[in-house]
Amino acid sequence: MKQKNDISHSELPLSRYVRDVLSKHNISLPSPLGEGAGVRLLALQSHRYPNIDMPYLLNQLTGWQTARTKLPSWAAKEDIIYPPHLSMEQCSSEHTAEYKAQLVSRLIRLSSLVTNSPQNEQSSPSVMESATLTPREGTEQKGRGGTFCDLTGGFGVDFSFMSRRFERAIYVEQQKELCEVARHNFRALGLTQAEVVNGDGTAYLHQLDHVAVIFLDPARRNEQGGKTVLISDCTPDVLTLEEELLEKGDTVVIKLSPMLDWHRAVDELNRLDSVVREVHIVSVRNECKELLLVLQKTKDEMEATTAVDKSLQMFCVNDDSVVSYSLRETLGVSQRILSTAPMAGQYLYEPNASLMKAGCFSLLTARYPLSALSLNSHLFVSDEAIDAFPGRKFRITAVSSFNKKELRHSLSGIDKANLAVRNFPMSVAELRKQLKIKEGGDIYLFATTDAENKHLLFICEKIDT
């Protein structure tokens, strides 16, 4: 899931609208603009320019500033119009949108293989294979994709990336203003196959003809503006619409909150049949960003008889790292627990955010030559360095109990460090206060509990790979 855009932030042009307004009124902004400095300066001077729609201008400027890091390929387009702040906050990043584009590309390739196979026994192209597709290559293959429909269009970032894989793409959004922005932006992005529908996604679903892929990103805010994490609290309610969604689409992709319990979501969506085929937990820079569920209806009796042999596929994504496995692979597998006391010279591992969310800790001890420190600490130890481990890696320089004398000796000369706690009775703030150690530096401390319920402090050096 590598980024294809190599333009530096300083090279990205201001949008044409902003540039034209500034030029027309002879307004100068600091160069470089800095983190919001230009916007604040312009806002303070707004009384000087009564003929300018200043809220709109400021919104375009702040939107462009956000897009420089969140959507660099959009920020590079001079004619892009940016939506209100909330839509910019909620929209996908380019990194996660490109991952979804690669995902649907693989799904439609697989669907084509299965449909055209008389034996219906083709091997599945992996998400790794699809990750090698560039946006241009995906565009050239769009004729293979049939029709795509996004029932919750929003700002249109996800739509703009996924739609390039299809001959026809339908964007549905109930807010008229967002539809106008999307229609303008899709033209600027060259999405000639895009159709913009201003309407309610649920109502449009009722009249929708059968399509290859339906995508939904249900709103995760309640009437008070607070965020919700239960699938039944989202709008539209995909549990209510599930049967119709599966009737209208070969594949349904649902984007959900990263805070949601994916086990519960899968159970709720599988209440009628085993339709959830894949779960994708997507993180960027080790921060969990979104949860994607892929739903497909059992197509015929032959598939129904073999459905019991199929297992839910999991994909744990962090930047360019993808760990995939089937739930069947984890059945009956227990974590291998460290049988001896950890010591200096060994290596400590912390799984990335997606693996933590998946909870596949027994899988890690099955796939890698390491052992869990304890059942609930989610830290792992090995004798030799494992460069391919999907997470943070550290060399242990010392291990201390919380005996005051031993702790003082182990921390001698350390006045600042990066501190983390795992399965430990104190918070980071509480422990930092007790240890009297400042934040920062090159030393990493992990406070945790081992299999014998002893509290330990690991003093480590990070291994960069």
Side-chain angles (χ1 to χ4, degrees):
M1 194 171 60
K2 294 182 183 295
Q3 293 293 324
K4 310 300 180 185
N5 194 303
D6 296 325
I7 302 174
S8 69
H9 295 167
S10 61
E11 294 174 326
L12 296 174
L14 275 169
S15 70
R16 192 186 306 277
Y17 169 81
V18 173
R19 204 170 59 245
D20 288 349
V21 171
L22 297 181
S23 176
K24 179 180 178 180
H25 295 272
N26 197 28
I27 301 173
S28 297
L29 294 178
S31 181
L33 285 175
E35 197 65 36
V39 177
R40 289 193 294 270
L41 178 63
L42 194 55
L44 290 172
Q45 297 176 349
S46 60
H47 63 280
R48 301 182 185 178
Y49 309 102
N51 296 325
I52 298 177
D53 184 346
M54 192 58 71
Y56 181 77
L57 177 62
L58 294 173
N59 187 74
Q60 294 308 301
L61 192 51
T62 55
W64 171 79
Q65 287 183 311
T66 300
R68 287 188 304 164
T69 53
K70 194 171 187 178
L71 296 166
S73 69
W74 281 45
K77 298 287 186 181
E78 295 183 325
D79 290 325
I80 293 294
I81 292 176
Y82 298 100
H85 173 73
L86 181 60
S87 293
M88 281 299 292
E89 176 189 290
Q90 293 177 337
C91 78
S92 290
S93 67
E94 186 159 320
H95 211 57
T96 57
E98 178 58 30
Y99 180 80
K100 287 188 280 291
Q102 294 164 5
L103 168 61
V104 296
S105 181
R106 177 176 62 84
L107 291 170
I108 60 178
R109 284 169 58 205
L110 177 58
S111 177
S112 176
L113 285 171
V114 172
T115 301
N116 295 326
S117 168
Q119 289 81 26
N120 197 27
E121 293 181 350
Q122 308 301 36
S123 61
S124 168
S126 72
V127 74
M128 295 294 200
E129 291 176 309
S130 66
T132 62
L133 290 172
T134 65
R136 181 178 297 277
E137 290 169 336
T139 303
E140 292 170 353
Q141 296 184 25
K142 67 184 180 182
R144 299 175 61 184
T147 300
F148 168 71
C149 183
D150 183 345
L151 291 174
T152 53
F155 184 29
V157 174
D158 284 329
F159 176 89
S160 73
F161 280 82
M162 288 188 284
S163 65
R164 295 182 185 276
R165 271 63 175 180
F166 298 86
E167 283 183 334
R168 183 188 179 206
I170 307 166
Y171 161 102
V172 185
E173 170 55 51
Q174 59 184 350
Q175 294 186 45
K176 182 179 179 181
E177 296 79 7
L178 283 177
C179 285
E180 292 172 351
V181 169
R183 188 176 288 110
H184 171 93
N185 288 342
F186 296 159
R187 285 196 298 266
L189 293 166
L191 301 177
T192 57
Q193 78 279 32
E195 301 174 21
V196 175
V197 176
N198 180 201
D200 177 71
T202 300
Y204 190 82
L205 174 65
H206 298 332
Q207 66 184 55
L208 180 67
D209 293 330
H210 195 85
V211 298
V213 177
I214 296 175
F215 176 72
L216 297 95
D217 178 7
R220 299 187 288 272
R221 290 183 182 271
N222 57 30
E223 294 178 354
Q224 291 74 40
K227 292 185 177 181
T228 61
V229 293
L230 295 178
I231 194 170
S232 57
D233 291 336
C234 297
T235 306
D237 183 352
V238 294
L239 295 176
T240 301
L241 299 176
E242 181 182 8
E243 191 170 355
E244 185 174 7
L245 287 167
L246 290 165
E247 288 292 338
K248 297 292 181 73
D250 291 333
T251 300
V252 178
V253 179
I254 305 174
K255 173 181 170 183
L256 295 168
S257 165
M259 299 297 293
L260 187 136
D261 181 345
W262 67 265
H263 295 275
R264 178 172 176 175
V266 169
D267 288 343
E268 289 178 335
L269 289 165
N270 279 344
R271 68 194 190 284
L272 301 178
D273 195 4
S274 296
V275 296
V276 182
R277 304 301 176 90
E278 297 178 5
V279 173
H280 297 250
I281 304 172
V282 184
S283 297
V284 177
R285 298 185 188 92
N286 209 32
E287 181 182 351
C288 197
K289 292 294 186 181
E290 56 193 41
L291 181 66
L292 304 172
L293 304 185
V294 176
L295 283 64
Q296 291 174 333
K297 187 178 181 180
T298 302
K299 293 182 174 62
D300 50 42
E301 291 185 8
M302 179 180 293
E303 186 176 350
T305 59
T306 60
V308 291
D309 297 325
K310 295 186 176 180
S311 179
L312 179 68
Q313 299 295 309
M314 298 291 300
F315 297 83
C316 299
V317 184
N318 182 54
D319 298 330
D320 297 324
S321 168
V322 182
V323 175
S324 60
Y325 63 97
S326 70
L327 281 192
R328 185 192 303 124
E329 187 178 351
T330 64
L331 294 177
V333 179
S334 301
Q335 288 188 67
R336 181 171 55 250
I337 305 298
L338 191 67
S339 59
T340 58
M343 63 184 70
Q346 291 182 311
Y347 296 86
L348 187 74
Y349 304 88
E350 180 187 51
N352 67 41
S354 291
L355 292 168
M356 287 286 197
K357 177 73 176 178
C360 55
F361 306 113
S362 60
L363 180 79
L364 295 176
T365 60
R367 287 192 177 182
Y368 299 96
L370 45 68
S371 299
L373 182 64
S374 72
L375 191 62
N376 298 312
S377 291
H378 309 326
L379 293 171
F380 299 83
V381 176
S382 73
D383 292 328
E384 303 293 333
I386 305 172
D387 293 338
F389 183 83
R392 298 201 298 170
K393 300 171 277 288
F394 303 87
R395 188 175 69 86
I396 302 172
T397 59
V399 182
S400 173
S401 71
F402 274 80
N403 173 277
K404 289 184 179 180
K405 185 176 180 180
E406 184 180 355
L407 198 60
R408 186 163 55 249
H409 174 74
S410 298
L411 295 176
S412 177
I414 300 175
D415 59 356
K416 64 178 180 178
N418 303 279
L419 179 61
V421 297
R422 294 282 183 199
N423 189 28
F424 194 75
M426 299 175 69
S427 69
V428 169
E430 290 169 339
L431 184 56
R432 186 177 296 283
K433 183 177 180 180
Q434 177 179 311
L435 297 178
K436 299 178 181 178
I437 290 178
K438 298 177 183 178
E439 174 69 24
D442 299 326
I443 297 174
Y444 290 77
L445 305 179
F446 286 88
T448 187
T449 305
D450 68 7
E452 297 180 355
N453 209 33
K454 295 177 181 177
H455 296 153
L456 299 177
L457 184 71
F458 287 80
I459 297 93
C460 305
E461 296 174 346
K462 189 176 182 183
I463 300 173
D464 293 317
T465 55

